[in-house]
Amino acid sequence: MPTTLTIAGRARTFTVVGDADGPEDRPLVLVFHGSRQSGEIHRRFTGGSLDRLAADGRAVIAYLDGYRGNWNDARAESSFPARKAQVDDVGFARAVVDSVVRTHRIDPHAVVGAGYSNGGQMVFRLLHDAPELLAGAVVVAATMPDRDGFLGDFSESAERPVPVTLVAGTADRIVPYTGGRMAWWARRLFRVGGVALSAPDTARYFARRNGITTAPTVTLLPVHSSARTAPRMEETAYRETGRPPVTLYTVVDGGHTVPGTTPSPAILGRTGADRGLAEMVSDVIAVLSRSS
């Protein structure tokens, strides 16, 4: 059942997956859905893949519900409902963490933000506007706005460097892999504009914020045994001793989709499967465990 909180006079809801009596100090994964979704719709959209982390006690998952299907992210040229109403989604995220600390005994210093599309843009906002909140991030089908189009502090260094994983499809028709402006129909449909960085430039941006100066390594991932016809995935890994890693997974010929063995609707393009969302979140959690 969804939990309701009142934030700045608005009723907001979220759903927690995980045993309240499970192990103490588990990580918490905050899941931010895409435009025109809800937490439950996104949960089905991803085949409930993150629920497996809750089932085996590795994490607690919280699916948050946006305001009228959207998040008030940090893109300057936006006119969707959450922006027009100036919804406090940063405050909502903080309140969810506080609530789950009380009910599920999670570690408030091990919170991972996982966002898709508009939800990914919300994670970008949290990394900049609430650096104390997230210890790691996984962002799918979203790239950073450029300096002029970002309402947050577009910066070359981070107050709290954290591991960041990015996923982008080279054939994404909504969020161009090469950056720039969204297609006119996407700007009209989603009520958002502005210029975005390319996926590789977004990865370089977060690598600089983490203080990584070494060149990345690029690896073609092994083909997933259950999805041999899926598009291939390439890993660009920024690694440096003592620095949180930054990873870009490029889905070659992939669309506006979430990697995994559950394909997204065909209208959104092809879905990569060589490494799924749950595995990516697990990797970030493993980094947090090694650094604690």
Side-chain angles (χ1 to χ4, degrees), residues 26 40 56 67 72 149 159 196 202 242 248 268-269 281 284:
R26 285 165 292 174
E40 183 57 33
D56 63 15
Y67 175 75
N72 187 9
E159 179 180 329
T202 299
L248 168 64
L268 295 175
V281 172
V284 170

Side-chain angles (χ1 to χ4, degrees), residues 43-281:
R43 187 179 178 185
R44 297 196 301 269
F45 181 75
T46 56
S49 62
L50 292 177
D51 292 9
R52 296 197 302 269
L53 304 182
D56 63 15
R58 282 183 286 169
V60 173
I61 313 298
Y63 294 91
L64 284 66
D65 297 315
Y67 175 75
R68 293 175 57 185
N70 283 103
W71 302 103
N72 187 9
D73 62 41
R75 288 176 289 184
E77 295 185 32
S78 298
S79 60
F80 42 68
R83 171 59 50 77
K84 293 176 76 171
Q86 287 300 306
V87 172
D88 183 8
D89 279 325
V90 175
F92 178 36
R94 286 195 174 111
V96 170
V97 174
D98 290 343
S99 175
V100 184
V101 165
R102 293 191 298 270
T103 60
H104 287 68
R105 303 177 300 177
I106 59 98
D107 181 356
H109 304 295
V111 179
V112 176
Y116 164 68
S117 195
N118 175 220
Q121 293 289 345
M122 187 63 216
V123 172
F124 287 154
R125 178 170 191 177
L126 292 174
L127 288 172
H128 291 77
D129 288 5
E132 81 291 348
L133 189 66
L134 297 184
V138 177
V139 173
V140 181
T143 61
M144 271 290 294
D146 69 3
R147 186 181 298 271
D148 292 337
F150 191 57
L151 294 178
D153 180 19
F154 193 101
S155 58
E156 297 298 311
S157 61
E159 179 180 329
R160 185 191 186 192
V162 301
V164 175
T165 294
L166 306 161
V167 184
T170 62
D172 189 330
R173 296 176 60 239
I174 296 173
V175 176
Y177 184 86
T178 56
R181 290 190 180 275
M182 298 166 68
W184 68 268
W185 60 267
R187 295 197 302 269
R188 178 174 296 181
L189 178 64
F190 297 109
R191 302 182 189 178
V192 66
V195 176
L197 304 183
S198 69
D201 282 344
T202 299
R204 283 189 281 269
Y205 170 80
F206 282 103
R208 288 195 301 271
R209 278 174 57 88
N210 283 2
I212 298 174
T213 58
T214 57
T217 59
V218 180
T219 307
L220 188 64
L221 296 182
V223 176
H224 193 283
S225 59
S226 66
R228 296 186 182 279
T229 61
R232 299 299 303 277
M233 293 177 64
E234 182 180 85
E235 178 190 79
T236 302
Y238 289 85
R239 303 286 186 270
E240 190 169 312
T241 302
R243 306 286 185 183
V246 173
T247 307
L248 168 64
Y249 289 103
T250 295
V251 186
V252 181
D253 295 328
H256 197 69
T257 56
V258 179
T261 54
T262 300
S264 298
I267 194 172
L268 295 175
R270 301 178 70 201
T271 302
D274 295 339
R275 194 156 195 81
L277 176 63
E279 294 171 282
M280 296 175 189
V281 172

Side-chain angles (χ1 to χ4, degrees), residues 24-44:
E24 292 188 32
D25 295 328
R26 285 165 292 174
L28 170 65
V29 182
L30 298 179
V31 184
F32 297 89
H33 59 72
S35 293
R36 304 189 174 197
Q37 291 184 329
S38 65
E40 183 57 33
I41 289 172
H42 186 72
R43 187 179 178 185
R44 297 196 301 269

